[in-house]
């Protein structure tokens, strides 16, 4: 029997991602959105898995239900934001938690089974004292909690990977939610290309410090190459000038100035 899973699902940056050149879709009479490919099928599959207990954890708050109407699924409970009375009680129980993390801790306080939280930007918000940083530490110390980040790393972004539920994370999401029966439906809708073997999205939190260092190093190399190229151009132009020179003193002055330029670079 499949173990019960409490799912906290964000909207913006997960199933709703605005992209250049993409026309917004009418989600309800008064709301438009940018659903990623396969969103409707994804929500329907979750809704049809009896072991998954989904909750919206989004700034859409109660308006999250328009996505249930749009996808023709049942109304899911809304975890965020907390009502004022709930918030006061939650802060007493979890004084170090805040914002979405506080809501997740509150709604999962009596849950004894697995917890999956799908959000954009866990690894981008790992600063000391941040809500997401606290959530990461909580997951690292709790084996039943799994965080799935829908923001690609710097390396993945260079390879064309986009934010949201996409080809590069859908299999990991299916594994986390024990989706097997309708797995092919989602793969056909979402996984339009296969990432290479160097994909590192299987990790919960992926630091990008090394990538940033590589970027800086590349920028330095490009700058150096540009300086060398400029110097070579100067030499070429000087050689052309030599043929036209009739005054040797003028020629020596130009050579001297050229070496001065070389030393400054």
């Amino acid at each position: 029997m499949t173990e019960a899973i409490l799912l906290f699902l964000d909207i913006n940056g997960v199933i709703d991602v605005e992209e250049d050149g993409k026309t917004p879709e009418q989600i309800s009479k008064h709301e438009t959105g940018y659903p990623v490919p396969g969103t409707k099928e994804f929500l329907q599959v979750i809704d049809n898995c009896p072991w998954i207990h989904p909750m919206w954890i989004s700034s859409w708050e109660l308006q999250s239900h328009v996505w249930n109407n749009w996808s023709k699924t049942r109304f899911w409970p809304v975890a965020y934001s907390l009502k004022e009375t709930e918030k006061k009680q939650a802060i007493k129980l979890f004084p170090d938690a805040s914002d979405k993390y506080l809501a997740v801790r509150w709604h999962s306080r009596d849950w004894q089974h697995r917890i999956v939280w799908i959000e954009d930007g866990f690894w981008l918000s790992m600063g000391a004292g941040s809500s997401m940083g606290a959530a990461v530490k909580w997951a690292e110390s709790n084996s039943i909690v799994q965080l799935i980040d829908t923001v690609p790393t710097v390396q993945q972004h260079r390879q064309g990977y986009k934010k949201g539920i996409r080809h590069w994370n859908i299999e990991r999401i299916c594994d986390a939610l024990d989706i097997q029966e309708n797995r092919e439906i989602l793969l056909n809708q979402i996984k339009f290309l296969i990432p290479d073997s160097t994909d590192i999205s299987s990790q919960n939190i992926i630091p990008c410090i090394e990538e940033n260092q590589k970027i800086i190093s590349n920028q330095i190399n490009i700058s150096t190459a540009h300086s060398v190229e400029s110097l070579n151009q100067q030499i070429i132009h000087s050689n052309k000038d030599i043929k036209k020179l009739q005054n040797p003193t003028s020629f020596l002055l130009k050579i001297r100035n050229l070496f001065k330029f070389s030393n400054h670079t």
Side-chain angles (χ1 to χ4, degrees), residues 153-209:
T153 64
V154 174
Q155 180 183 2
Q156 290 170 331
H157 181 71
R158 285 187 198 154
Q159 295 171 351
Y161 292 9
K162 297 180 180 180
K163 181 192 293 188
I165 294 179
R166 307 283 187 169
H167 72 280
W168 58 272
N169 56 32
I170 185 58
E171 287 205 58
R172 183 179 172 223
I173 290 171
C174 286
D175 289 340
L177 298 176
D178 284 333
I179 295 173
Q180 300 298 335
E181 185 177 346
N182 295 308
R183 193 184 189 100
E184 289 303 317
I185 294 175
L186 299 181
L187 298 188
N188 289 336
Q189 291 294 327
I190 300 172
K191 193 172 184 183
F192 54 89
L193 61 91
I194 300 174
D196 59 37
S197 59
T198 61
D199 179 22
I200 53 177
S201 63
S202 60
Q203 301 177 23
N204 272 355
I205 304 300
I206 309 170
C208 60
I209 296 174

Side-chain angles (χ1 to χ4, degrees), residues 16 40 52 59 62 67 70 78 133-134 139 152 168 177 200 235 251:
D16 179 36
K40 189 170 292 186
I52 301 177
S59 58
L62 289 175
W67 289 88
W70 172 78
V78 175
W168 58 272
L177 298 176
I200 53 177
I235 293 172
F251 165 72

Side-chain angles (χ1 to χ4, degrees), residues 6-16 39 42-44 46-47 52-61 64 67-68 71 73 76-80 100 104 115-120 122 146 148 150 164-165 173 177:
L6 182 58
L7 169 64
F8 292 97
L9 184 65
D10 185 25
I11 294 177
N12 294 337
V14 177
I15 62 172
D16 179 36
T39 292
F42 177 69
L43 299 181
Q44 289 173 350
I46 289 175
D47 201 53
I52 301 177
H53 301 266
M55 298 190 78
W56 292 114
I57 184 83
S58 169
S59 58
W60 284 64
E61 300 186 340
S64 301
W67 289 88
N68 292 123
S71 61
T73 55
W76 300 347
V78 175
Y80 182 82
K100 284 188 177 183
V104 168
I115 299 169
V116 175
W117 182 359
I118 305 177
E119 180 79 44
D120 62 308
F122 283 118
Q146 184 172 3
I148 297 180
T150 59
I165 294 179
I173 290 171
L177 298 176

